[in-house]
Amino acid sequence: MAAPYAASALASPNRTAVIDDSGDVSYADLDRRSTQLAKGLHRLGVRRGERLGIACRNHRDFIELTVAAAKAGLGVVYLNTSFAAPQMREVVGREGLAVLALDLDLLHLIDHGAFEAPVIIAGPDEPTRTALADNVRTMSEVRRDGEHGGPLRASLPVPPVLLTSGTTGTPKGAQRSNRVDPTAATAIIDRIPYRHDDVIAITSPLFHAWGLAQMLLASALGATTTLIAPFDVNATLAQIERERVTVLTVVPAILQRLLASPALDSTDLSSLRIVASSGSALPVPVVREWLDRVGPNLYN
């Protein structure tokens, strides 16, 4: 997962990789910060082949943690940020995590008596050191610990784990294949005309397969990813207009919420070339309404 970001950092170092609520970050800066973070994870005592749990909403730290884990040779378990405390405790205990990164407002979901491994606070809301337990660090602290030292040793990739939906009980970890199938990305690009200069707004959670796939596709193209956490209809429409978003990735429920917004018809959506929908069936009335009100840019 680090390879496309590293390649884009070499090819277009000054191109914006991510725009989120905290501003923007270039591919070169993201590559540098994720390398420091990877070294900092090793300084925490996390070894290659172990697992990092990520419970983050859509912001730059989710991406930086994903890339850093790949550089450090760690597997990633993507956790649902909507978990209640009992679900979080059970999944964290069951998946054998060596370190856990999560947004500050999710910290209360962790049972510190049962989970003694390092915890990293991610996201824009960084607390002061005095407010944290001994095993809790901030992203900037871990990154600072990794500023020095030699180059990272190459690691074999560890397959990521995405959780099942949990419709029949507590969500289970589903380990993905380690093999990269280039035909999968080629098949998408063959049907949906993504470009290297696209600005791609990802509205579905990055910890779901569709959001994660869009994140990696954007990095492989060297495109810009825009994120909002949590999803908000009016904020998304404003972002499309402000950042001149060219690709909007959605699930059908989000498309329906956009159509229900009174602000849709007054928003300048002329930059949108692609609206890519996946994750569940797209109802025909929704398709017709989108084509009538916005235009012929919807891909299912």
Side-chain angles (χ1 to χ4, degrees), residues 1 5 17-19 30 34 37 54 56-69 78 139 202 206 215 219 225 227:
M1 286 190 170
Y5 283 97
V18 184
I19 302 172
L30 181 62
S34 60
L37 186 62
I54 299 179
C56 295
R57 298 181 179 85
N58 286 16
H59 50 70
R60 67 182 64 186
D61 286 356
F62 182 106
I63 297 177
E64 186 180 325
L65 284 159
T66 294
V67 177
Y78 293 108
M139 285 269 289
I202 303 177
L206 293 175
M215 182 188 98
S219 69
T225 298
L227 304 170

Side-chain angles (χ1 to χ4, degrees), residues 104-130:
L104 178 61
D105 64 341
L106 301 178
L107 184 59
H108 70 282
L109 300 177
I110 303 304
D111 182 353
H112 293 282
F115 188 77
E116 298 178 353
V119 175
I120 301 171
I121 301 298
D125 302 320
E126 188 164 296
T128 59
R129 163 50 44 197
T130 56

Side-chain angles (χ1 to χ4, degrees), residues 35-57:
T35 296
Q36 292 173 349
L37 186 62
K39 293 180 181 180
L41 288 168
H42 286 319
R43 292 285 295 272
L44 278 177
V46 186
R47 299 187 300 274
R48 289 173 175 81
E50 293 184 318
R51 284 179 167 183
L52 161 69
I54 299 179
C56 295
R57 298 181 179 85

Side-chain angles (χ1 to χ4, degrees), residues 8-293:
S8 291
L10 289 170
S12 306
N14 297 322
R15 175 145 176 87
T16 299
V18 184
I19 302 172
D20 64 4
D21 296 332
S22 299
D24 58 75
V25 60
S26 69
Y27 273 102
D29 284 342
L30 181 62
D31 185 53
R32 174 182 55 80
R33 290 161 64 93
S34 60
T35 296
Q36 292 173 349
L37 186 62
K39 293 180 181 180
L41 288 168
H42 286 319
R43 292 285 295 272
L44 278 177
V46 186
R47 299 187 300 274
R48 289 173 175 81
E50 293 184 318
R51 284 179 167 183
L52 161 69
I54 299 179
C56 295
R57 298 181 179 85
N58 286 16
H59 50 70
R60 67 182 64 186
D61 286 356
F62 182 106
I63 297 177
E64 186 180 325
L65 284 159
T66 294
V67 177
K71 290 181 176 183
L74 308 179
V76 175
V77 179
Y78 293 108
L79 302 168
N80 193 321
T81 57
S82 298
F83 276 168
Q87 288 177 303
M88 184 68 79
R89 281 196 297 269
E90 181 174 344
V91 173
V92 165
R94 188 188 63 225
E95 295 298 330
L97 304 180
V99 58
L100 172 64
L102 75 175
D103 290 346
L104 178 61
D105 64 341
L106 301 178
L107 184 59
H108 70 282
L109 300 177
I110 303 304
D111 182 353
H112 293 282
F115 188 77
E116 298 178 353
V119 175
I120 301 171
I121 301 298
D125 302 320
E126 188 164 296
T128 59
R129 163 50 44 197
T130 56
L132 301 178
D134 291 340
N135 69 324
V136 180
R137 310 292 300 279
T138 65
M139 285 269 289
S140 59
E141 287 176 326
V142 178
R143 203 184 294 115
R144 193 160 51 244
D145 289 343
E147 286 180 354
H148 307 290
L152 287 167
R153 180 163 55 85
S155 301
L156 291 174
V158 183
V161 173
L162 277 68
L163 298 182
T164 62
S165 61
T167 52
T168 57
T170 303
K172 306 296 191 298
Q175 190 158 348
R176 298 292 165 137
S177 171
N178 224 1
R179 294 181 63 248
V180 175
D181 182 4
T183 61
T186 303
I188 294 176
I189 295 174
D190 182 56
R191 303 304 294 267
I192 306 178
Y194 290 87
R195 299 194 316 220
H196 71 92
D197 58 349
D198 274 324
V199 178
I200 302 175
I202 303 177
T203 61
S204 53
L206 293 175
F207 57 77
H208 283 164
W210 181 235
L212 193 64
Q214 293 297 312
M215 182 188 98
L216 293 172
L217 185 60
S219 69
L221 293 169
T224 297
T225 298
T226 69
L227 304 170
I228 292 177
F231 171 74
D232 178 84
V233 171
N234 291 332
T236 297
L237 291 171
Q239 186 186 66
I240 292 170
E241 186 171 280
R242 181 179 64 254
E243 306 296 344
R244 305 301 295 164
V245 168
T246 58
V247 179
L248 177 67
T249 69
V250 297
V251 295
I254 286 177
L255 205 62
Q256 289 171 302
R257 290 177 63 183
L258 290 168
L259 287 169
S261 171
L264 179 70
D265 295 322
S266 60
T267 302
D268 180 5
L269 302 177
S270 60
S271 62
L272 277 182
R273 296 186 305 106
I274 297 167
V275 178
S277 175
S278 185
S280 61
L282 186 57
V284 172
V286 174
V287 174
R288 289 177 174 153
E289 185 178 357
W290 187 268
L291 297 179
D292 288 343
R293 294 175 60 189

